[in-house]
Amino acid sequence: MKIRAHLLEGQAIPALPLALDKSRKWSEKYQRALARYYFAAGTGGLAVGVHSTQFEIREPQHGLFEPVLQLASETLNICQKANPRPYAKIAGLCGKTAQAVKEAGFAKNIGYDAGLLSVAAYRDAEEDEILRHCETVSEIIPIIGFYLQPAVGGRTLSYSFWRKFAEIPNVVAIKMAPFNRYQTWDVVRAVIDAGREDLALYTGNDDNIIVDLLTRWRWNGKTRFISGGLLGQWGVWTRRAVEMLEAIKRIRQDEDIASEWLSKNAELTDANAVVFDAANGFAGCIPGIHEVLRRQGLLETNYCLNPHEVLSPGQAEELDRVSKAYGWLTDDDFVRENLAEWLE
């Protein structure tokens, strides 16, 4: 199976929960049953050793990382033998470079196709250090980038990070799970700007699954869809999740009004991120609003009562970018036609 092409086709990929018995011991019986369920439900892959599987499986007192990955792989191999079809086995990879490389090597040796690479261990590191980490692990196994929300151990990563990440040759996909529209758009725009049409986009935004999948993400003359989902939510009611994804993949090809408005929603998110200065924790929010109005002539300055509350570095240039890109969003002509009357 060619993992890159398979992911680009758009797959429903649940995250495997850990099966424990009444004594809080690992139940191989129920773990196998879960893997069989997901395969029979029509999923296109399974993620093992990820957040839903509980990161604690790696702790020495449990020692379950390798046994769980091994059992899931063997079970899925049997399922595929009985019902041959392409199927992606994805291993969660964690820790600093030494640990992640070890996990990647193990996963590859037992037949996993890609690694979903968490960078939570680099919470306070510079982005260049994280990029070097990702490049090193990608030399072992194809990797799927993972933008994990801070509330569950992730960290904020810049557009610049994802732009550089998208240039790593052995990246096959990115799972976007920041639970944040601004940050999701950063990743999409970075991949488009990198020209990586061979890199699949996957939603991990369990709070916004359908909108993510229906949206035509348009930027710089290009349009991308989020191919599929790699989701903890899809670990339950999985058959319906598979059916939903297939239905969405059919209807999103139609040039209907609903899809057009979903595209506009994405563009508005991009513009709002600039005006409100989401990249800098909203520090330039009020000055950003003022600056748009000043440019139109509706304010004389962009000043705030607090003299330290000013536009963030680069924010003015970003306002230039979104104003030019999304002409449908601006009302400059209307203001121009009426400004003198309003200022009388």
Side-chain angles (χ1 to χ4, degrees), residues 95-236:
K96 294 291 183 73
T97 302
Q99 177 183 340
V101 164
K102 180 180 178 181
E103 293 183 0
F106 174 76
K108 181 179 180 180
N109 288 339
I110 63 171
Y112 279 76
D113 302 289
L116 179 65
L117 183 59
S118 168
V119 297
Y122 290 89
R123 193 175 184 87
D124 300 316
E126 296 293 329
E127 290 186 345
D128 285 346
E129 181 182 355
I130 302 174
L131 286 166
R132 290 192 293 270
H133 166 74
C134 295
E135 290 171 353
T136 300
V137 178
S138 75
E139 294 172 0
I140 308 299
I141 194 170
I143 63 171
I144 298 172
F146 188 10
Y147 201 169
L148 176 65
Q149 62 165 318
V152 292
R155 55 165 288 170
T156 300
L157 295 162
S158 69
Y159 161 86
S160 177
F161 171 85
W162 291 111
R163 177 66 178 78
K164 295 173 183 176
F165 181 86
E167 295 177 353
I168 299 174
N170 212 23
V171 170
V172 293
I174 298 175
K175 170 185 174 174
M176 300 168 291
F179 283 42
N180 181 300
R181 308 313 295 151
Y182 305 134
Q183 293 163 359
T184 298
W185 178 252
D186 279 346
V187 178
V188 177
R189 186 160 60 89
V191 171
I192 292 174
D193 285 345
R196 288 295 301 272
E197 295 183 3
D198 64 332
L199 196 162
L201 295 167
Y202 269 65
T203 183
N205 290 322
D206 300 68
D207 62 339
N208 208 45
I209 299 169
I210 293 175
V211 170
D212 272 1
L213 293 169
L214 278 176
T215 301
R216 289 185 177 88
W217 301 82
R218 301 189 305 206
W219 171 247
N220 201 23
K222 302 289 186 179
T223 299
R224 288 293 301 264
F225 281 112
I226 292 176
S227 298
L230 199 168
L231 296 150
Q233 172 63 36
W234 284 358
V236 299

Side-chain angles (χ1 to χ4, degrees), residues 298-315:
L298 290 164
L299 282 180
E300 189 173 1
T301 74
N302 62 21
Y303 296 167
C304 297
L305 286 173
N306 180 348
H308 301 294
E309 196 168 350
V310 297
L311 292 174
S312 292
Q315 189 177 0

Side-chain angles (χ1 to χ4, degrees), residues 55-107:
F55 292 133
E56 291 84 355
I57 62 174
R58 295 165 169 80
E59 295 177 358
Q61 64 268 35
H62 303 301
L64 287 174
F65 176 76
E66 292 187 0
V68 171
L69 263 69
Q70 184 76 52
L71 182 145
S73 180
E74 292 173 353
T75 304
L76 293 170
N77 287 344
I78 294 170
C79 292
Q80 282 183 284
K81 186 175 181 180
N83 184 13
R85 61 184 172 89
Y87 201 82
K89 291 186 289 187
I90 299 169
L93 308 176
C94 295
K96 294 291 183 73
T97 302
Q99 177 183 340
V101 164
K102 180 180 178 181
E103 293 183 0
F106 174 76

Side-chain angles (χ1 to χ4, degrees), residues 20-60:
L20 300 178
D21 64 18
K22 293 179 181 180
S23 301
R24 296 185 183 275
K25 302 295 185 182
W26 181 43
S27 172
E28 296 185 26
K29 175 181 177 180
Y30 284 92
Q31 200 71 71
R32 288 194 186 92
L34 276 176
R36 292 165 181 159
Y37 161 59
Y38 294 133
F39 189 90
T43 59
L46 186 62
V48 186
V50 294
H51 182 254
S52 292
T53 322
Q54 302 176 41
F55 292 133
E56 291 84 355
I57 62 174
R58 295 165 169 80
E59 295 177 358

